Amino acid sequence: MELNPYQERAVAASGHCTILACPGSGKTRVLSVRAARLLANHDKGRLCAVTFTRDAAEELRSRILAACGQDHARRLAVGTFHSLALAQIKRFSGGKPPRLLSEGERLAVLWRCWQQHAPNIAFENVVQAIDARKARLTPVPFSDPSLESVFNGYQEVMESDGAMDFADLLLLSVHRMASGGMPPLPIRWLLVDEAQDMDEVQVEWILLHGRAGADITLVGDDDQSLYAFRHALGYAGLRKISTELSATVTTLPVNYRCAPNILAHAAKLIAHNRNRAAKKITAHREDVGEIRVIRAPDRWAEVDQIVETIEKGAQDDEWAILARTNLILDTAELALSGIDRPCVRTGGKSVWEHSIGSVFSGLLRSVVDDSWTGLANALSFCGIHAEWVNEHSRRSFGGCIARLESAIEQAPDDDGSRKTLLRLRIGLASWREQAAKGRATLVIHGVAAFLSDYCTPNQANLLRKLEESLVRMPGSLAQRLLILGRSSQNRRKPAVQIMTLHASKGLEFDNVWIMGCEEGNLPHTDSTEEDERRLLYVGMTRARHRLILSSAIEEGLASRFLDEAGLS
């Protein structure tokens, strides 16, 4: 596997603990080549490589074996922190190992404990608080006593069933190794990928192996630490290991992806962070890329410019549209759905799968196939009590019109329910007739007009855009709905990918457009300024040749980060 001089120097690095700081691309390649050479150059000793996802672990294993040969497979263990800890516990459990809860089972148990002890707190906040407790070696008291009751009840339920969750795996492994009740893995070398994403428990798991004599190699970039909300320690975690194990730090400062002017602005931005390793990031490339900053009147004008720019380019131009939140990306997805380019939404739900989008498309499907679910969801959206809709759905049978007529007879007349049901009954008959005559556009307008009377101003605005998008599509109403439901796997390679800045980490594209660069959004009010600055830095360094950053005047002031990057 061919390496550049800087990567070669990192692979050759030695010492009991080595930290490879890689602000450029190629971290996984460096780690896999280092692992392959350690196995090939030593006849004895086992090597363990750890990362954060199963997909990443499988890729790392295949790269290592491709470089050193299958003969060394028996001396190689590759997995996630959790899979390695589980294997450790099973090996030294001395009996039947604990049963591991699936994510669905975990949330179901938590839900029951939440309902019993803390229904006054949002369930999402309860989950976050318990996850935060389990990412710490030393428990921190909860801010609310009822959270303590949920946690204790949750742990008692799992203990009574002989079960544990993923977070418990690492905590149990660390506590048993620290107390001498279980030895560390019998390995000579331990290599860690994306080390900036380790939390406190994962850092301690690494340290325990280092103290037991394993040679440690960490590969990471503190400037790409994006998961503080998942309790990642970032630079602090790398620094802790460096101090405790007297690590040798080798920096790979050359970026092989970005045009030099794009990288220069990104480096200028990230230099404003104080809590980071000092490094001078340089570009290997010499050609000049394109950078533009756009200030649009409003969000829809912003996405109109995205569409116009993409349509002016070549048919196979590769684009990534990035934003801080999925809500902002909804507007981009809608605008791009009408162009003749393959597009795919990565990570978050499509705009057609939530909120007014799912109600609109669901009611249209009921027009086409006489299914009750879409119509029932529309009734609930229009203000008819969900409990009444559910009860009627269980008690009535037949096609949609028959069930609506039954519902009209049973509906209370004191809250406008009967009027809504009558309107929908009349509308459904008319929409079916128009659909049978091939007048898809009339049906789309009719259904949108019906729903608009029940929308908030923001929902009504989005509904109009959804309506326009469907009207622009070719084919019958059924064919247009089929296009919406088609999975991205069945499309040809997407020329345009739509994703959040978080989801873009580790990827690269010829052209990158970062939208929504406004104060309060980027940096977002829900995070720290340094975390948000790292997020924009990662987004900017996804671009090979062209980078465009845009904002909307109606949404607020342009982000201070543009000024910090020298892009005012």
Side-chain angles (χ1 to χ4, degrees):
M1 190 178 298
E2 185 177 349
L3 300 175
N4 61 63
Y6 295 93
Q7 293 173 329
E8 191 65 57
R9 184 180 67 184
V11 169
S14 60
H16 174 61
C17 181
T18 302
I19 297 178
L20 306 178
C22 301
S25 54
K27 292 190 290 292
T28 304
R29 177 187 295 183
V30 169
L31 194 68
S32 59
V33 172
R34 180 163 171 76
R37 291 193 183 172
L38 286 171
L39 288 171
N41 294 336
H42 297 82
D43 295 333
K44 297 180 180 179
R46 298 191 67 211
L47 183 145
C48 176
V50 60
T51 187
F52 287 85
T53 67
R54 283 187 297 179
D55 288 345
E58 289 171 4
E59 180 185 357
L60 191 56
R61 178 181 174 83
S62 64
R63 285 192 181 204
I64 293 171
L65 292 178
C68 70
Q70 291 291 332
D71 292 345
H72 298 283
R74 61 182 179 79
R75 298 169 52 211
L76 173 66
V78 183
T80 64
F81 280 98
H82 295 100
S83 67
L84 292 169
L86 177 60
Q88 217 178 351
I89 291 167
K90 283 182 175 179
R91 183 175 180 180
F92 296 101
S93 61
K96 184 180 179 182
R99 184 174 71 86
L100 187 63
L101 292 183
S102 69
E103 182 64 7
E105 289 175 310
R106 178 182 89 100
L107 291 176
V109 174
L110 270 176
W111 180 273
R112 297 204 308 270
C113 296
W114 164 70
Q115 288 183 314
Q116 180 181 355
H117 298 289
N120 58 314
I121 303 175
F123 180 65
E124 293 80 5
N125 294 340
V126 171
V127 175
Q128 290 173 5
I130 290 177
D131 287 347
R133 163 74 75 92
K134 293 193 173 194
R136 300 289 301 272
L137 286 171
T138 305
V140 176
F142 288 110
S143 58
D144 189 314
S146 57
L147 288 172
E148 193 76 46
S149 299
V150 175
F151 178 79
N152 290 336
Y154 172 60
Q155 293 299 114
E156 288 169 5
V157 169
M158 286 198 296
E159 186 176 347
S160 66
D161 195 30
M164 63 171 56
D165 62 22
F166 276 99
D168 287 327
L169 286 176
L170 274 172
L171 279 168
L172 180 60
S173 173
V174 165
H175 289 321
R176 284 188 177 178
M177 284 192 289
S179 66
M182 181 175 71
L185 293 172
I187 54 176
R188 180 173 175 183
W189 305 284
L190 176 60
L191 282 63
V192 186
D193 196 18
E194 300 289 357
Q196 75 277 355
D197 294 333
M198 295 185 296
D199 63 25
E200 186 175 302
V201 179
Q202 290 161 340
V203 166
E204 186 63 21
W205 191 87
I206 296 297
L207 286 172
L208 285 165
H209 283 86
R211 293 170 191 146
D215 287 346
I216 310 292
T217 299
L218 308 178
V219 177
D221 180 8
D222 57 296
D223 290 332
Q224 295 190 51
S225 179
L226 306 184
Y227 300 110
F229 66 94
R230 294 181 188 168
H231 323 295
L233 295 181
Y235 180 52
L238 297 175
R239 193 170 52 196
K240 178 179 176 63
I241 291 179
S242 176
T243 300
E244 290 211 22
L245 299 182
S246 301
T248 300
V249 179
T250 301
T251 302
L252 282 69
V254 180
N255 179 295
Y256 287 79
R257 175 190 302 129
C258 304
N261 54 330
I262 293 175
L263 184 66
H265 287 290
K268 186 172 184 179
L269 170 69
I270 200 63
H272 285 78
N273 273 8
R274 295 183 178 180
N275 187 29
R276 65 187 291 263
K279 61 182 81 75
K280 184 178 180 181
I281 309 170
T282 58
H284 175 73
R285 291 172 50 183
E286 297 180 355
D287 56 310
V288 177
E290 178 187 342
I291 303 177
R292 291 169 58 199
V293 177
I294 293 175
R295 189 89 165 124
D298 56 39
R299 188 71 76 216
W300 294 107
E302 185 180 6
V303 296
D304 285 344
Q305 293 202 45
I306 294 175
V307 171
E308 181 182 352
T309 302
I310 291 175
E311 287 190 313
K312 283 182 179 178
Q315 184 71 21
D316 59 350
D317 277 354
E318 179 188 59
W319 279 93
I321 312 302
L322 312 179
R324 176 61 175 82
T325 67
N326 274 299
L327 185 62
I328 292 175
L329 291 173
D330 286 348
T331 59
E333 181 188 1
L334 265 177
L336 289 163
S337 63
I339 70 173
D340 186 26
R341 303 285 176 90
C343 303
V344 64
R345 180 80 174 262
T346 303
K349 285 185 177 180
S350 166
V351 67
W352 295 100
E353 295 174 2
H354 62 88
S355 185
I356 184 63
S358 65
V359 175
F360 185 32
S361 60
L363 186 50
L364 287 169
R365 285 191 178 92
S366 292
V367 173
V368 170
D369 61 15
D370 202 31
S371 59
W372 175 252
T373 300
L375 197 143
N377 289 341
L379 288 174
S380 181
F381 176 81
C382 294
I384 296 180
H385 199 281
E387 185 177 348
W388 188 90
V389 174
N390 291 339
E391 180 62 25
H392 179 78
S393 297
R394 286 191 291 269
R395 286 193 285 110
S396 62
F397 302 94
C400 286
I401 288 181
R403 298 176 81 164
L404 276 175
E405 289 173 346
S406 172
I408 291 168
E409 293 177 2
Q410 303 171 34
D413 198 26
D414 56 351
D415 62 353
S417 296
R418 186 184 298 273
K419 181 180 178 181
T420 298
L421 288 164
L422 282 168
R423 285 191 63 205
L424 188 53
R425 163 67 179 83
I426 295 169
L428 184 60
S430 173
W431 301 331
R432 286 233 177 114
E433 181 182 349
Q434 299 301 330
K437 295 177 180 179
R439 298 169 180 170
T441 298
L442 288 180
V443 179
I444 293 166
H445 287 319
V447 171
F450 169 80
L451 291 174
S452 65
D453 290 342
Y454 303 92
C455 287
T456 65
N458 285 338
Q459 288 173 332
N461 190 25
L462 181 56
L463 178 60
R464 283 194 294 273
K465 299 295 182 180
L466 292 164
E467 179 184 359
E468 292 170 6
S469 175
L470 269 179
V471 166
R472 287 196 301 267
M473 290 182 184
S476 66
L477 183 57
Q479 288 169 333
R480 299 181 203 207
L481 292 173
L482 187 62
I483 292 172
L484 296 184
R486 206 177 282 160
S487 70
S488 60
Q489 284 79 11
N490 293 330
R491 301 176 185 176
R492 63 190 190 273
K493 182 181 178 181
V496 183
Q497 297 197 49
I498 306 167
M499 67 185 74
T500 62
L501 287 162
H502 280 100
S504 72
K505 184 173 177 286
L507 304 176
E508 56 185 68
F509 309 91
D510 288 341
N511 308 285
V512 170
W513 191 307
I514 303 176
M515 58 182 295
C517 297
E518 303 104 13
E519 285 293 312
N521 177 50
L522 190 63
H524 200 279
T525 53
D526 289 346
S527 184
T528 68
E529 186 172 286
E530 291 215 346
D531 283 343
E532 294 294 293
R533 194 176 281 114
R534 281 191 286 269
L535 194 56
L536 181 55
Y537 168 78
V538 166
M540 293 173 69
T541 53
R542 299 310 92 195
R544 297 190 191 99
H545 309 305
R546 176 160 47 174
L547 173 66
I548 302 176
L549 304 103
S550 63
S551 60
I553 295 172
E554 188 178 76
E555 301 295 327
L557 297 173
S559 172
R560 74 195 80 159
F561 290 163
L562 299 179
D563 184 51
E564 292 180 357
L567 293 170
S568 296

